[in-house]
Amino acid sequence: MSPATILNGKMLSEKRLDLLHDEIEKSGITPCLVTVIVGEDRASQMYVRMKHTACERVGIESEGLEYSAAITEADLLNTIQRLNQDPDIHGILVQLPLPEHINTGHILRAVAPEKDVDGFHPVNLGLLLENEPGFRPCTPLGIMTLLAEYGIDPAKKRAVVIGRSTDVGKPIAALLLNADATVTICHSKTENINAYTKEADIIVSAAGRPHMVRADMISPGCVVIDVGINHVDGKLCGDVDFDEVSKIASAITPVPGGVGPMTIVTLMENTFKAALNISCKHV
């Protein structure tokens, strides 16, 4: 069997960032994204820096608001409302996780749906389920873009999603379903996951468990999408045992360089879309 095709999210994201830069320049619109981060989680700070770097590259103005972990939920909600009301701000991103004393749902629901470039507001999630236009969560939409780039059509395929989070598992299941795949969601309470994964044409793993997906769990020719970001012995790895699974899969994403870069470019594309939508309303 031929070696698996490496689904190179890094390369595709670079191409799409260049295209987006040209589109923004031609539009005459300067999109603006504001990120909100609470506390001093190093991973969150790194992710936010990467997003601001991407903004600079494509011509999106960006502002980062940083707050102490001691901020009250009321004060954070007031901040969100202020951003909602500012016509010069097109996209709002609240970096997760938030401190335990703040109700994440309250904060995400406070973001105006038309500025919800992360796609987590219930309105946008509902539009996703209805397969109507709206903002899609960035990682799932980035996965769909990656599949399309490599000519992988989910229609009539059996897809297994491992993980049921609102930011990845549930929305990627909905996107695959909207693309005419037959979708099964597995999670921590699923018994005998192998019975499902062995039947899959496409596996998306977003479980957050290093090397959980092994070669004996998949069938030859399966497409494997690894969303996991784990640190083992100081090294970054995904949910998939890449070395072994890549010998059996037809296509596979690496970690790093697979899904991660697609998440960031999708955020940039969503922000430009928000700017276009808001600008049209004000014409």
Side-chain angles (χ1 to χ4, degrees):
M1 185 173 175
S2 333
T5 298
I6 305 301
L7 304 178
N8 192 328
K10 177 64 175 172
M11 183 174 66
L12 178 56
S13 70
E14 292 290 331
K15 181 172 81 171
R16 293 184 73 90
L17 286 170
D18 287 341
L19 290 171
L20 183 61
H21 175 273
D22 293 344
E23 285 184 40
I24 291 174
E25 199 169 60
K26 290 175 184 175
S27 74
I29 296 170
T30 302
C32 179
L33 172 69
V34 174
T35 63
V36 179
I37 186 169
V38 179
E40 298 182 356
D41 182 83
R42 288 187 178 182
S44 292
Q45 291 173 335
M46 179 187 70
Y47 296 144
V48 166
R49 283 197 300 271
M50 291 168 65
K51 291 163 185 175
H52 285 285
T53 299
C55 284
E56 186 174 351
R57 173 170 173 174
V58 299
I60 293 175
E61 287 186 356
S62 66
E63 179 183 358
L65 301 181
E66 300 182 11
Y67 296 101
S68 159
I71 190 173
T72 66
E73 182 175 309
D75 284 343
L76 190 56
L77 286 169
N78 287 336
T79 296
I80 300 298
Q81 290 304 326
R82 175 176 62 80
L83 299 176
N84 285 340
Q85 293 163 10
D86 189 333
D88 294 325
I89 293 170
H90 305 111
I92 301 168
L93 181 147
V94 180
Q95 184 66 39
L96 303 180
L98 294 170
E100 289 185 3
H101 70 278
I102 294 177
N103 185 305
T104 299
H106 291 170
I107 301 303
L108 295 181
R109 286 191 289 273
V111 176
E114 64 271 19
K115 296 188 179 187
D116 170 39
V117 290
D118 244 350
F120 292 157
H121 193 283
V123 166
N124 284 315
L125 292 172
L127 290 169
L128 166 59
L129 290 180
E130 292 183 348
N131 201 16
E132 294 290 339
F135 290 110
R136 309 311 195 211
C138 297
T139 297
L141 184 54
I143 291 169
M144 299 302 289
T145 303
L146 191 58
L147 291 175
E149 172 72 12
Y150 283 87
I152 300 168
D153 184 359
K156 302 180 182 179
K157 302 287 197 312
R158 292 167 296 184
V160 169
V161 176
I162 305 174
R164 52 181 168 177
S165 66
T166 304
D167 55 339
V168 179
K170 291 175 183 176
I172 188 60
L175 284 168
L176 288 165
L177 186 62
N178 291 346
D180 297 322
T182 298
V183 183
T184 300
I185 300 178
C186 297
H187 47 80
S188 60
K189 301 296 189 239
T190 302
E191 295 184 349
N192 192 15
I193 286 180
N194 293 29
Y196 300 96
T197 57
K198 288 286 282 187
E199 297 294 319
D201 301 303
I202 300 172
I203 294 174
V204 179
S205 183
R209 292 173 58 189
H211 298 155
M212 172 191 173
V213 179
R214 306 176 309 275
D216 62 0
M217 294 175 64
I218 74 167
S219 295
C222 184
V223 174
V224 180
I225 306 296
D226 191 350
V227 187
I229 300 176
N230 310 292
H231 291 86
V232 177
D233 298 327
K235 294 182 179 180
L236 188 65
C237 69
D239 289 352
V240 178
D241 184 347
F242 181 89
D243 292 341
E244 294 303 316
V245 171
S246 62
K247 296 174 184 176
I248 300 172
S250 62
I252 188 170
T253 58
V255 177
V259 173
M262 295 305 301
T263 300
I264 291 178
V265 71
T266 304
L267 173 65
M268 300 299 106
E269 292 169 344
N270 278 356
T271 301
F272 181 46
K273 176 182 171 182
L276 288 174
N277 292 344
I278 292 171
S279 297
C280 287
K281 288 180 181 178
H282 292 159
V283 171

